[in-house]
Amino acid sequence: MSPATLMSTATLNAVQPDRERPLPLPPSVTPYRGLAPTQLGMLAFLASEAALFCTLIVVYLSYLKVDQNGPTPAVLSLSLVIATTVCLLASSITVHLAVKSLHSGEHLSFIRWWAATIVLGIVFLLGTAFEWRELIVRHDLTISRNLFGTTYFTLIGFHALHLTGGIVAMLAVLGLTISRLLSTKSRASAELISWYWHFVDAVWVVVFSVVYLAGR
Amino acid sequence: MATVVRELELMPTAEPAHARSILSGWLTTVDHKQIGILYVVMAVCFLIIGGCEALVIRCQLFWPHSQLVAPDAFNGLFTMHGTTMVFFVGMPILIGIGNYLVPLMIGARDMAFPRLNALGFWATLFGGMLVYFSFATGGAPALGWFAYAPLTEHTFARGPATDLWALGLVVSGIGTTTAGINFIATILGMRAPGMTLRKIPFFTWTILWTAVQIVIAMPPLTAILVMILLDRNLGAHFFDVQNGGSALLWQHLFWFFGHPEVYILILPVFGMISEIIPVFSRKVLFGYEFMAAATAAIAFISLGVWAHHMFAVGLSRPEGLFFAVTSLLVSIPTGIKFFNWLATMYGGRISFASPMLFACGFLSMFLIGGLTGIMLAVVPFNFQLTDSYFVVGHFHWVLIGGTLFGTFAGIHYWYPKVTGRMLSERLARWQFCLLYIGFILTFGPMHIAGILGMPRRIYTYEAGLGWEIWNQLSTIGAIIQAPSFAIFAYNLIASLWKGKPAGDNPWDAWTLEWATTSPPPSYNFETIPTVHSRRPLWDLKHPDDPDWQYE
Amino acid sequence: MELLLLAQVQDDMCMFRPASPPAESIRDLSILVLAITGLIFLIVEAVLVYCIIRFRRGAAGSEPPQFYGSKPIEIAWTAAPALIVFLLVLVTARTLWEVNVQPPEPREGDGALFVTVIGHQWWWEYQYEYYNGQKLGFATSNELHVPVDDAQLPRPVYLKLKSADVCHSFWVPKLAGKTDLIPGRTNHIWFQSKEPGVYLGQCAEYCGTQHAKMLIRVVAEPNMDFEKWLANEQRPAVEDPAAQKGKAALLAQSCINCHTIRFPDSPAKGTFGPDLTHLMSRTSLASGILRNTPQTLHDWVADPQKHKPGCLMPAFSVNEHDRALMVGYLSTLR
């Protein structure tokens, strides 16, 4: 029985000194072994983000093939996007390796893998920017051109925005690590950011399948 | 390397020095108790503003063809009244009460993310100010609080009011979502030793499910509001029907948010009532497990009922029937809760201090609101009742008879804990009587007006249809209700000085928040207690007959 | 409260005085639902009041016996509501299937009227398509004439609902439940008038500034009168020689950009506003808010914004003389 429980019994006994029967003893208390509050917070946040992206995807699907004129998903360049997707998927692997290095205390290795993740993320964003330039300039597809333009730029744009947010967070962690301000607390935040990164990746897998595979 | 510091356990007592202004203390606080108070104070201010908007509406509708208010001014008034009451009164007041109580109830020192908590409050307030700024830019948005497309498109709503409305709700929506995240992390991760999820106070359980609803339902609203902003400002076509956009898609997505929203507005109230009725009946809550399961069932089912707000849009018969079935189903767990409350009272020793007075007001009124909801779920009946004053009567009945009465019960119950003073019972009884009578007189006749064919959201009506008397009764009821809010506000403020000192546990209640001082110190508890049952203080008072033997 | 509802209902738009089969089905279902919910209310409220009175605390005493719960009781009061819900689902389904029917195709001799309703901000356009299998092809506004059932033949009316701008809702409570008009979508509603009369209704989906003044008048008349009305509506506009100057004055104004007046080579072919070809066959103006008399017609044309502020018909600055001529011409359009 834990000391805390014994103490409370003693207190109880002290309060009722003239009882004949001994007072009932409470059951033992098992310590909390669940996720930390910060981890729960990140998961709840990711749930809200999932709801957001579900809405955007539902809207995209609702408007697929509704357009009578203007560019259709056929104008999307599969080869470029496959390349950027590979970068993003690779970045999930690198961020996983980074967190692993962090847990095993390999400081330099963490910095390398973390930086690699950031670079791959930036490459993805550059690829998206290039793709958008092609679509806008060559194919005359803008957010106001037709429903495809509206839903495409909104969905891909929201994803890119979230990716950018992740990159900014990662840069902050990178800066703190390099300037040796990293503490055990930041170890936890690095792991949480990696969860976010995996989530944004998973969202991309769905978006990619819906927009570039199923929808074309 | 810096040493790891577990912030929460060793937070220093933040006693503000007298030199530092009290105001800057409040402006920069991250203490859940102060943030809770800020939320509630903000909500009460918006309640008064929204109430004034309602009074003008009722005055305009007193006579047919009244010219008190111009058409679009009226349309802006009912839009702002609805938006204010839902987003800047209902949700904030419940989030505020939850913020104050949840850490205390689970034996924690603060919420999981104190700074995020503060951000949530200020975002909500800023969002409200953005929405209200529309009055200064040519008039409030005249869209109705659910803003059906394509009324929100630039073609039909030319001024900046719609943009301010959408942007304000995006900002406050982000604040609300962070509150939901905070509650989930706190309740799941920071409970006192021994407090398993099956032993948390019922209010905490309902806040947990409210937070789940918030996290699932708010983001779709944020998404569609951003879509409106894109439509209006970047030429997107989401709800631009002339270019292939869908008006119906807005309705589906809005109500997918909108229905869980009303459960967000009532679940915490169910929790508060479930704390109050046991204490004032001197009996444990009957059927905690079934109540808990019913709450979870309500949370799940409510995600599948949204189209009952849209029965008249031309749904197919199977679609209509599906949503009728889910809407009727959700009444079963709600009924279970009701019967459990009655069973708690049965065989008890009931005292009618103000919290219990309001709780009984809640019970008697929410029953009716729930029953008119059942009427509305019956699709063919809905074809006549929807978009009429019957619906206005119904939702005000559940929101005022339910949410507001329950919230008043909660505020009267916990005010002594928050301030260390008792509220005036005399003023509370005046408030209750005026509110109860005024509320029934305001919203009862609306059900009849709806059955007589009066649609909603009309700035005037024809004479000779038999609607005048019901409108006049409603207005008189509103005038009777109005002073009750003034009495409430006065009671809240005056009791800070004139209220009887409360002590730690004036109601002889059993949950952990009553184990601290009134008001609690900034660190909540000197030592985090270990609990063994749902009523830790009952266990301390009755060591021979503790709850954990029976749970 | 239920008793209050049933005792006090009266009047022209009351859903409990139906005049058409779908409204009757709804009324019958509603009474059943009111009875069930009324009974639940009485029982539960009675238990509440009983508890409040019987278990009031007297002098302070010891805590009463603590009951933590009872599985059999919980199951009982889950099963009972579940049964009620099951019953309600069944009756809902039955009436829903009765009330919500897809319109048939027009057939020779079916006695059925097919009209396409187009909702505008803030008036109703009625395009008459078929009656009794015969193709029609004219449009009128704001007043919907329909035939009444007679002994030989039921005469159902099938409305196709569309919108030219925002969401509206067609609601004439005594004839049927409401159905929305959603832009980009076609909905259907049907009713049958059993008694001649004027049935009132109103737009029931907030559609902007003048949503409150988008009234509906359904004029149900015996078949002979209805066919007379149809024949008149199909004729082109009356050519009154005395009103030629007024006609010229009107056709020179921008009125013709929004309104249609049907006669050979008419320049007035606008569809933004109501069709005026047989304006004087209507008893009301401005979607039901004004009586159609010479004076009100004149006032309306002079300043629509005064009667319906925010409506989309501007007040043209026509001089008094020309306006009198124009209104004089309009008054001949029977």
Side-chain angles (χ1 to χ4, degrees):
Chain A
M1 206 164 289
S2 71
T5 330
L6 276 173
M7 182 134 67
S8 56
T9 320
T11 320
L12 294 173
N13 281 331
V15 164
Q16 307 268 341
D18 53 349
R19 288 206 64 84
E20 291 149 12
R21 278 182 287 123
L23 291 169
L25 288 176
S28 57
V29 162
T30 47
Y32 174 69
R33 267 192 277 267
L35 294 169
T38 45
Q39 294 175 313
L40 291 163
M42 176 52 78
L43 288 178
F45 172 62
L46 294 180
S48 77
E49 295 285 76
L52 182 80
F53 278 102
C54 278
T55 309
L56 295 173
I57 290 171
V58 161
V59 172
Y60 184 87
L61 287 171
S62 304
Y63 287 140
L64 207 53
K65 306 205 198 316
V66 169
D67 279 316
Q68 306 279 9
N69 32 42
T72 63
V75 308
L76 295 172
S77 151
L78 201 54
S79 44
L80 172 62
V81 164
I82 287 178
T84 54
T85 305
V86 165
C87 287
L88 201 63
L89 292 174
S91 73
S92 250
I93 300 174
T94 55
V95 82
H96 175 72
L97 292 170
V99 171
K100 234 174 81 173
S101 310
L102 194 63
H103 282 319
S104 52
E106 292 158 35
H107 206 64
L108 238 57
S109 181
F110 165 72
I111 292 179
R112 268 193 228 112
W113 287 122
W114 196 254
T117 312
I118 296 173
V119 166
L120 286 167
I122 292 176
V123 167
F124 179 91
L125 286 179
L126 288 174
T128 305
F130 184 74
E131 184 194 6
W132 281 19
R133 193 178 143 277
E134 285 296 294
L135 288 170
I136 294 171
V137 170
R138 183 104 66 80
H139 298 282
D140 203 20
L141 182 73
T142 57
I143 199 172
S144 57
R145 177 67 182 85
N146 60 6
L147 280 172
F148 171 58
T150 293
T151 53
Y152 170 82
F153 282 108
T154 305
L155 181 56
I156 307 294
F158 260 94
H159 175 264
L161 207 66
H162 281 79
L163 197 70
T164 309
I167 290 175
V168 166
M170 291 192 136
L171 283 170
V173 167
L174 190 66
L176 287 169
T177 312
I178 290 177
S179 57
R180 302 218 176 275
L181 289 169
L182 184 74
S183 66
T184 334
K185 190 174 76 145
S186 298
R187 179 163 40 219
S189 60
E191 185 183 23
L192 292 175
I193 294 174
S194 80
W195 289 8
Y196 175 80
W197 193 264
H198 289 305
F199 173 79
V200 173
D201 234 355
V203 167
W204 178 252
V205 169
V206 177
V207 169
F208 171 75
S209 312
V210 165
V211 175
Y212 294 90
L213 298 180
R216 271 170 95 246
Chain B
M1 278 312 174
T3 336
V4 172
V5 164
R6 292 293 309 276
E7 284 175 40
L8 294 170
E9 276 177 333
L10 296 176
M11 198 198 297
T13 40
E15 309 295 352
H18 277 289
R20 208 154 134 249
S21 99
I22 297 175
L23 180 66
S24 90
W26 282 91
L27 288 176
T28 58
T29 184
V30 295
D31 177 0
H32 71 101
K33 298 184 287 299
Q34 291 193 306
I35 292 173
I37 292 171
L38 285 171
Y39 265 116
V40 172
V41 168
M42 177 192 87
V44 171
C45 293
F46 275 115
L47 176 64
I48 292 172
I49 297 173
C52 291
E53 287 161 350
L55 279 173
V56 177
I57 291 173
R58 285 308 335 152
C59 288
Q60 162 73 9
L61 292 175
F62 193 79
W63 283 294
H65 295 299
S66 168
Q67 304 217 308
L68 186 68
V69 168
D72 258 343
F74 182 92
N75 298 336
L77 278 174
F78 69 69
T79 305
M80 292 300 276
H81 170 77
T83 303
T84 303
M85 292 305 195
V86 171
F87 293 102
F88 304 114
V89 179
M91 281 208 290
I93 209 168
L94 296 173
I95 290 175
I97 296 175
N99 248 313
Y100 194 100
L101 291 173
V102 164
L104 286 167
M105 282 184 166
I106 63 174
R109 296 203 184 283
D110 205 314
M111 297 283 281
F113 309 113
R115 282 171 298 190
L116 193 68
N117 207 6
L119 174 76
F121 168 72
W122 293 107
T124 308
L125 178 62
F126 186 57
M129 287 165 58
L130 273 175
V131 172
Y132 268 85
F133 193 61
S134 59
F135 275 115
T137 62
L143 314 161
W145 88 277
F146 37 86
Y148 275 359
L151 266 175
T152 43
E153 293 292 302
H154 217 262
T155 327
F156 302 106
R158 303 259 166 83
T162 307
D163 299 280
L164 283 166
W165 176 87
L167 193 61
L169 290 181
V170 166
V171 171
S172 73
I174 290 175
T176 307
T177 310
T178 60
I181 292 169
N182 225 339
F183 280 128
I184 292 174
T186 308
I187 296 171
L188 293 182
M190 291 172 62
R191 284 162 281 128
M195 190 182 281
T196 63
L197 273 177
R198 296 184 62 210
K199 295 195 194 293
I200 58 179
F202 204 78
F203 176 69
T204 309
W205 180 252
T206 56
I207 291 283
L208 177 63
W209 285 104
T210 307
V212 168
Q213 303 267 68
I214 288 176
V215 157
I216 296 178
M218 295 298 303
L221 175 71
T222 308
I224 59 179
L225 290 171
V226 168
M227 289 178 201
I228 293 189
L229 288 169
L230 291 174
D231 273 11
R232 292 175 60 84
N233 295 288
L234 291 184
H237 304 296
F238 284 106
F239 307 112
D240 174 15
V241 182
Q242 289 156 351
N243 274 291
S246 167
L248 212 55
L249 186 63
W250 168 269
Q251 294 196 27
H252 277 294
L253 291 175
F254 181 86
W255 288 116
F256 181 77
F257 146 77
H259 196 83
E261 165 63 27
V262 309
Y263 282 96
I264 292 169
L265 292 175
I266 202 69
L267 285 179
V269 168
F270 288 166
M272 291 193 272
I273 296 294
S274 305
E275 298 292 332
I276 292 169
I277 290 184
V279 167
F280 289 86
S281 310
R282 305 313 300 163
K283 277 183 69 206
V284 69
L285 181 67
F286 191 91
Y288 178 101
E289 276 92 359
F290 276 87
M291 294 281 278
T295 310
I298 292 173
F300 276 118
I301 301 176
S302 75
L303 292 171
V305 306
W306 76 87
H308 72 220
H309 299 269
M310 299 162 54
F311 276 141
V313 302
L315 299 175
S316 72
R317 293 181 295 199
E319 283 169 342
L321 188 62
F322 172 80
F323 285 102
V325 169
T326 53
S327 307
L328 288 168
L329 275 180
V330 83
S331 69
I332 299 176
T334 316
I336 292 174
K337 293 183 101 99
F338 211 90
F339 302 140
N340 276 282
W341 288 322
L342 291 178
T344 307
M345 289 169 69
Y346 192 93
R349 295 177 58 86
I350 307 175
S351 87
F352 290 99
S354 50
M356 190 58 171
L357 196 61
F358 281 100
C360 289
F362 162 86
L363 285 174
S364 58
M365 296 292 103
F366 186 74
L367 171 66
I368 297 173
L371 291 173
T372 55
I374 289 179
M375 294 180 209
L376 286 164
V378 173
V379 186
F381 200 4
N382 187 285
F383 289 153
Q384 293 281 22
L385 299 175
T386 194
D387 263 318
S388 78
Y389 257 83
F390 188 93
V391 177
V392 180
H394 160 73
F395 69 69
H396 280 96
W397 210 276
V398 282
L399 284 176
I400 298 186
T403 302
L404 203 63
F405 269 88
T407 304
F408 284 148
I411 290 180
H412 282 84
Y413 182 55
W414 279 295
Y415 183 92
K417 172 56 55 183
V418 173
T419 61
R421 304 259 182 182
M422 304 297 285
L423 281 170
S424 155
E425 282 292 310
R426 212 182 100 252
L427 287 178
R429 266 180 244 134
W430 270 103
Q431 178 201 352
F432 176 81
C433 287
L434 285 173
L435 184 61
Y436 199 74
I437 294 169
F439 150 78
I440 292 177
L441 194 59
T442 309
F443 300 106
M446 287 187 184
H447 295 84
I448 303 177
I451 285 181
L452 293 179
M454 183 173 178
R456 57 186 290 196
R457 300 174 152 184
I458 51 177
Y459 74 89
T460 191
Y461 52 93
E462 296 293 300
L465 291 168
W467 299 348
E468 295 90 318
I469 177 70
W470 309 113
N471 276 283
Q472 285 158 356
L473 287 172
S474 285
T475 304
I476 294 170
I479 295 172
I480 294 177
Q481 271 189 61
S484 80
F485 293 94
I487 293 175
F488 175 66
Y490 175 78
N491 200 357
L492 286 181
I493 298 171
S495 302
L496 288 173
W497 288 273
K498 303 208 286 203
K500 217 172 58 190
D504 290 358
N505 194 356
W507 309 118
D508 199 2
W510 303 302
T511 39
L512 276 181
E513 74 271 25
W514 302 105
T516 66
T517 58
S518 303
S522 59
Y523 47 84
N524 293 350
F525 300 95
E526 276 192 33
T527 45
I528 304 292
T530 302
V531 304
H532 300 286
S533 78
R534 295 170 190 141
R535 298 192 294 171
L537 298 192
W538 169 280
D539 293 347
L540 281 178
K541 270 191 75 175
H542 305 267
D544 52 320
D545 191 24
D547 259 5
W548 44 262
Q549 286 188 319
Y550 305 98
E551 283 177 1
Chain C
M1 196 182 115
E2 266 64 42
L3 294 172
L4 187 64
L5 283 174
L6 294 172
Q8 298 281 41
V9 289
Q10 53 176 331
D11 233 297
D12 333 36
M13 281 171 71
C14 178
M15 59 165 283
F16 282 106
R17 301 259 220 71
S20 155
E24 282 168 348
S25 307
I26 293 174
R27 188 263 322 258
D28 295 340
L29 175 63
S30 311
I31 292 183
L32 175 65
V33 172
L34 283 169
I36 293 175
T37 51
L39 193 64
I40 297 173
F41 168 74
L42 288 172
I43 295 175
V44 179
E45 201 86 355
V47 172
L48 174 63
V49 170
Y50 174 78
C51 287
I52 288 175
I53 297 177
R54 168 83 175 75
F55 299 109
R56 278 194 326 278
R57 194 190 293 186
S62 62
E63 311 281 35
Q66 304 288 301
F67 280 102
Y68 292 79
S70 157
K71 203 140 121 187
I73 294 183
E74 299 279 0
I75 292 178
W77 66 41
T78 308
L83 283 171
I84 298 176
V85 162
F86 183 64
L87 169 67
L88 287 173
V89 168
L90 289 179
V91 297
T92 298
R94 183 182 69 179
T95 308
L96 181 57
W97 256 255
E98 243 171 55
V99 161
N100 228 2
V101 290
Q102 281 295 90
E105 286 302 310
R107 260 183 323 106
E108 185 66 42
D110 59 2
L113 175 66
F114 291 82
V115 177
T116 299
V117 181
I118 303 181
H120 296 258
Q121 282 182 318
W122 296 284
W123 59 280
W124 302 92
E125 179 183 348
Y126 299 116
Q127 293 181 348
Y128 278 71
E129 313 275 13
Y130 287 91
Y131 178 55
N132 211 9
Q134 303 293 340
K135 194 163 184 0
L136 305 168
F138 65 90
T140 180
S141 312
N142 292 329
E143 283 181 16
L144 182 69
H145 282 246
V146 298
V148 174
D149 280 355
D150 49 33
Q152 302 101 334
L153 196 56
R155 297 179 191 277
V157 178
Y158 296 101
L159 301 181
K160 218 190 277 194
L161 304 175
K162 298 183 177 183
S163 170
D165 40 37
V166 299
C167 295
H168 301 276
S169 190
F170 188 88
W171 190 29
V172 183
K174 295 176 83 145
L175 294 179
K178 66 181 65 67
T179 304
D180 290 353
L181 289 76
I182 313 268
R185 195 185 159 83
T186 303
N187 281 336
H188 301 275
I189 196 175
W190 74 278
F191 59 85
Q192 245 170 265
S193 312
K194 301 169 67 172
E195 289 292 319
V198 177
Y199 297 101
L200 301 179
Q202 213 169 319
C203 175
E205 183 59 68
Y206 176 68
C207 49
T209 311
Q210 284 297 343
H211 162 66
K213 291 194 173 175
M214 195 171 154
L215 309 185
I216 303 174
R217 296 173 80 83
V218 178
V219 181
E221 35 197 13
N223 186 49
M224 277 216 325
D225 296 329
F226 176 68
E227 288 190 350
K228 256 195 259 154
W229 178 85
L230 269 186
N232 185 50
E233 289 291 319
Q234 290 186 288
R235 282 195 274 270
V238 166
E239 283 292 333
D240 188 335
Q244 287 310 305
K245 278 181 87 174
K247 176 177 171 187
L250 190 110
L251 295 180
Q253 297 287 339
S254 49
C255 314
I256 61 173
N257 293 323
C258 289
H259 293 283
T260 296
I261 302 178
R262 263 183 298 115
F263 57 84
D265 297 321
S266 164
K269 290 198 280 253
T271 52
F272 189 70
D275 186 309
L276 300 177
T277 311
H278 296 284
L279 179 63
M280 300 321 281
S281 73
R282 307 204 262 271
T283 56
S284 64
L285 295 175
S287 202
I289 62 167
L290 297 170
R291 291 173 62 81
N292 191 356
T293 66
Q295 186 56 44
T296 47
L297 181 58
H298 179 270
D299 284 346
W300 170 255
V301 171
D303 190 4
Q305 297 298 319
K306 192 176 83 176
H307 302 277
K308 212 165 164 178
C311 82
L312 297 172
M313 175 164 157
F316 294 99
S317 314
V318 179
N319 66 59
E320 185 58 48
H321 174 255
D322 282 347
R323 183 163 52 237
L325 282 175
M326 284 162 52
V327 174
Y329 169 63
L330 288 172
S331 308
T332 66
L333 297 177
R334 279 175 290 282

